[in-house]
Structure formats: structure tokens, C-alpha cells
């Protein structure tokens, strides 16, 4: 029995719970051109992704050299395909090959992304998604490996044992997973890596109270909770530790205080990170960011990013914005599937893949990444 088949059998009740949504998708399909039917789009996107799987079981970027080894891409693609497992059957043997690729490259210390010494493939990102994939696969042979991966991710949080003081803007967050950082050095720390590590650890049941408390401090800093009165708007910036990665520019309404402008992709990440860190839905932090997102409802571009900015980040982050907003806000916005689909279709290619030609800086110009995000959005739109 394949792991995907076992997953389907274990989640039979989940599939039955989706039937109303699947029926709704079928009804919607009758109201739109065939090529815009979400189920058809999902099936063709999944088929395209499976067709890109290499003989070694992994997925390898043909666009970005740092992702050519497949360690960071493979768990991301597999995780996306797992979200559609009730809606699209994979080719026989392919899921097992993908899982075998991951297992063969996870180090004894539980790290994925360091198998090639001269190329570091985003270890914290890769390990976070690989951990979630193995948890979904549910194979007992992975139990010890899962514990090691969770322990690795916990050790990557910027805490006192790494020489990071609570006063540091990086404290409580996660970064790339650089292997050459000395005690007291934080390197690149941002909200996206923090969110993915928190979600993986929460899924593994490995997020203890100390990690939650320290993560909360980092998340509050991203939400500008420490700004002067009148300058807190509830949204998020991307990083208080690496100023250059914040894409909203600076605010001009805070007097002499130099603050970054909050924006939608970071705010969606922040909402997801708060949930993963255990914040209650009625907490001031979650209420504030939900209010911010309600004030910026446009699915056409990420609010808070100036469209006249020469960097044109609102075009570079287009698919990523749709992806992270669908996960963060879908339950609060009943009309989101159609709003998302209207935007997503502009990136669809004739072969069923997705691609943002202006997304090189965010790697959305890699169809493996863009299509994996599209698969997750489409699968989510067909769920209750």
C-alpha cells in the first residue's frame, strides 16, 4: 500500500467532510469556462509538478542555482501535493521516491539543506517543510528522525543559549540556518522563516512554553508594539533585525520616529505565526492584525507596498501574496476563492504550471515554486 493511499484511508472522514465543498466546486465549474474550473486547474498543476520529478525522487530548480540540489524545493513541492491528495491521485511510486529523497539527505542531526557542503539550501526552511511532510506521511520509521528535526529547529531559535540577548531585535526569531554563525551572531532573521519553524514545531507538538514566549517577543517587535503611541497600526513588518528586507518603505506620520511601513504579505505571515505560537484568537495581537488586513482587503496587490516604488515589490511578491493571504484570511473572507482565482489565472501557463515573470527576487519566476503555491491555494479553495 502506498503512503498516499494510506493517507487517503486514514483521512476518509476528512474526504467525506470535503464533499460539500467538492460539490460546490462542481457547481461553480458549470458557471465558468472550463479552463477556469478550480478542480481542472488543480489537477493539471499537480500533473505538471509530478512530471517534473527527477529520477532521484527530488525536484530541482532549473531557474535558481541555489535550489538546484533539490533539498529545499522537494519538501515544499511534496507538501503542496499532499494538500491535494484527496483531489488528485499521484503516479504510482512517485510519492515514495520523493520521501526517500528527503530521508537520504536529512543529516543525523535532523537537518535538511546541508548535504552539499559548498551550497547551503535554506536549512531552516527545508527542515521545517520536510518535518511537516514526514508528519503527514505518518510512517513509523520516521519517528526518531522527526524528533531530531524538531530538536534541530528548536536549537535554531535565537535565544540565550546562542548568545542572543532579549534586547536584540533578532531574539526569539528564526533565520536561514547559517552554519558559520558564532555565539552572539544572529545572521538573517525574518518573519517568514520564523512562521515556518513555528508551524512545523507546533505540528510536531514540540513547541514548549519557553520557545513560545521568546517567539512572542519577536512577533510583537515585528508588529511594532514598541512604537510610540499613535504609530502602531496592527500590521507587521518583515524583520526588525534586518532593515533592508522590509518592503513597505518608511512611514512619514510618526514624527521623528523612523519606522517601517507595515504591509500585507508580512501581516499575513504575522497572523499565521501568532496562531502557530499559540496566541488566542481574541488576543490583542491577533485582533489588531486582523483589523489591519480588513482595512487592506485588495487581492490584486499587497496593501502597504507603494505601487510607485521603483523596486516594484508589489509585482515581485504577487503569487506569494495570494498564497499567504489565502492561508491567513480564507476563513474570514467567504469570497476569497473567486478573488484569488481572478488574480492567479494571470500567471497560468498553457502546460498547467504557474509562473510570475517579474518575480525573480522572490523566486516566483521558478515555475516549481509558483505552481506549488498555486496547488496549495486551489486545494484550499475546494475545502470546506
Amino acid at each position: 500500500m502506498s503512503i498516499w493511499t494510506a493517507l487517503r484511508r486514514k483521512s476518509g472522514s476528512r474526504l467525506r467532510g470535503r464533499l460539500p465543498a467538492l460539490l460546490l466546486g462542481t457547481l461553480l465549474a458549470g458557471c465558468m469556462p472550463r479552463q477556469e474550473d478550480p478542480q481542472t486547474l488543480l489537477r493539471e498543476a499537480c500533473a505538471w509538478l509530478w512530471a517534473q520529478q527527477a529520477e532521484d525522487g527530488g525536484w530541482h530548480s532549473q531557474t535558481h542555482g541555489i535550489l538546484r540540489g533539490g533539498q529545499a524545493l522537494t519538501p515544499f513541492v511534496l507538501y503542496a501535493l499532499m494538500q491535494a491528495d484527496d483531489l488528485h491521485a499521484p503516479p504510482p511510486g512517485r510519492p515514495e521516491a520523493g520521501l526517500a529523497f528527503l530521508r537520504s539527505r536529512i543529516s543525523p542531526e535532523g537537518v535538511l539543506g546541508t548535504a552539499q557542503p559548498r551550497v547551503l539550501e535554506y536549512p531552516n526552511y527545508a527542515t521545517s517543510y520536510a518535518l511537516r511532510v514526514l508528519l503527514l506521511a505518518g510512517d513509523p520509521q520516521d519517528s526518531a528522525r522527526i524528533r531530531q528535526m524538531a530538536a534541530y529547529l528548536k536549537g535554531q531559535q535565537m535565544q540565550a543559549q546562542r548568545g542572543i540577548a532579549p534586547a536584540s531585535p533578532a531574539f526569539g526569531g528564526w533565520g536561514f540556518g547559517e552554519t558559520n554563525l558564532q555565539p552572539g551572531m544572529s545572521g538573517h532573521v525574518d518573519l517568514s522563516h520564523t512562521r515556518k519553524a513555528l508551524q512545523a514545531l507546533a505540528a510536531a507538538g514540540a513547541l514548549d512554553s519557553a520557545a513560545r514566549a521568546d517567539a512572542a517577543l519577536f512577533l510583537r517587535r515585528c508588529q511594532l508594539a514598541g512604537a510610540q503611541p499613535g504609530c502602531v497600526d496592527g500590521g507587521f513588518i518583515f524583520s526588525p533585525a534586518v532593515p533592508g528586507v522590509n518592503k513597505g518603505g518608511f512611514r512619514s506620520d510618526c514624527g521623528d520616529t523612523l519606522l517601517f511601513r507595515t504591509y500585507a504579505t508580512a501581516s499575513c505571515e504575522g497572523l499565521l505565526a501568532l496562531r502557530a505560537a499559540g496566541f488566542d484568537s481574541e488576543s490583542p495581537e491577533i485582533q489588531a492584525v486582523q483589523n489591519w488586513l480588513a482595512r487592506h482587503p485588495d487581492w490584486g496587490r499587497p496593501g502597504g507596498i507603494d505601487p510607485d516604488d521603483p523596486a516594484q515589490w508589489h509585482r515581485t511578491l504577487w503569487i506569494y501574496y495570494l498564497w499567504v493571504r489565502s492561508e491567513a484570511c480564507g476563513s474570514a473572507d467567504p469570497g476569497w476563492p473567486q478573488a484569488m482565482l481572478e488574480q492567479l489565472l494571470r500567471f497560468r501557463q498553457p502546460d498547467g504550471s504557474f509562473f510570475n515573470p517579474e518575480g525573480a527576487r522572490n523566486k516566483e519566476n521558478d515555475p516549481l515554486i509558483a505552481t506549488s503555491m498555486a496547488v496549495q491555494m486551489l486545494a484550499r479553495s475546494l475545502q470546506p
Side-chain angles (χ1 to χ4, degrees), residues 286-340:
I286 285 188
Q287 290 292 306
V289 69
Q290 286 179 329
N291 290 336
W292 190 99
L293 289 165
R295 296 194 303 271
H296 299 81
D298 188 2
W299 285 79
R301 69 176 185 87
I305 297 180
D306 186 354
D308 295 325
D309 184 346
Q312 293 289 287
W313 277 111
H314 69 291
R315 304 179 74 86
T316 300
L317 292 165
W318 217 329
I319 298 178
Y320 192 92
Y321 169 56
L322 297 175
W323 173 61
V324 73
R325 187 170 189 116
S326 71
E327 184 176 353
C329 302
S331 61
D333 182 1
W336 80 265
Q338 187 62 35
M340 175 274 294

Side-chain angles (χ1 to χ4, degrees), residues 127-139:
T127 305
S128 294
Y129 271 107
L131 176 55
R132 298 179 78 179
V133 165
L134 295 182
L135 287 167
L136 285 172
D139 192 323

Side-chain angles (χ1 to χ4, degrees), residues 62-290:
Q62 303 302 310
T63 309
H64 296 281
I66 195 171
L67 298 174
R68 198 156 292 163
Q71 296 176 83
L73 258 183
T74 299
F76 186 60
V77 175
L78 273 177
Y79 181 78
L81 289 166
M82 282 177 152
Q83 307 313 298
D85 69 338
D86 287 339
L87 305 167
H88 178 78
R94 297 292 186 84
E96 293 84 353
L99 291 168
F101 177 93
L102 294 184
R103 292 177 182 124
S104 69
R105 287 159 176 81
I106 296 171
S107 76
E109 295 76 28
V111 190
L112 180 63
T114 58
Q116 299 184 72
R118 290 187 293 180
V119 181
L120 205 62
E121 290 191 52
Y122 304 100
N124 289 350
Y125 171 98
T127 305
S128 294
Y129 271 107
L131 176 55
R132 298 179 78 179
V133 165
L134 295 182
L135 287 167
L136 285 172
D139 192 323
Q141 72 163 299
D142 293 318
S143 297
R145 187 177 287 114
I146 285 171
R147 288 194 296 271
Q148 281 298 120
M149 296 167 76
Y152 162 77
L153 284 175
K154 288 175 68 175
Q156 284 294 304
Q157 188 178 21
M158 296 300 162
Q159 294 177 304
Q161 72 267 20
R162 294 174 61 94
I164 307 298
S168 167
F171 185 85
W174 277 262
F176 285 154
E178 298 99 321
T179 57
N180 59 348
L181 295 178
Q182 301 299 314
M185 296 175 59
S186 59
H188 181 107
V189 176
D190 65 42
L191 184 55
S192 181
H193 281 83
T194 298
R195 188 261 288 194
K196 293 175 176 70
L198 284 170
Q199 287 181 319
L201 288 170
L207 196 57
D208 58 39
S209 59
R212 290 179 190 273
D214 291 347
L217 181 56
F218 179 79
L219 296 178
R220 291 189 179 106
R221 283 187 171 125
C222 290
Q223 202 174 14
L224 300 179
Q228 67 184 37
C231 288
V232 178
D233 63 8
F236 277 72
I237 63 171
F238 195 56
S239 177
V242 191
V245 300
N246 293 298
K247 302 166 183 68
F250 292 101
R251 299 181 64 177
S252 59
D253 58 348
C254 290
D256 295 331
T257 303
L258 186 63
L259 292 176
F260 288 102
R261 184 185 294 117
T262 56
Y263 57 100
T265 51
S267 296
C268 291
E269 297 264 26
L271 177 53
L272 293 170
L274 288 169
R275 289 173 180 164
F279 279 73
D280 184 85
S281 61
E282 300 302 318
S283 68
E285 293 84 358
I286 285 188
Q287 290 292 306
V289 69
Q290 286 179 329

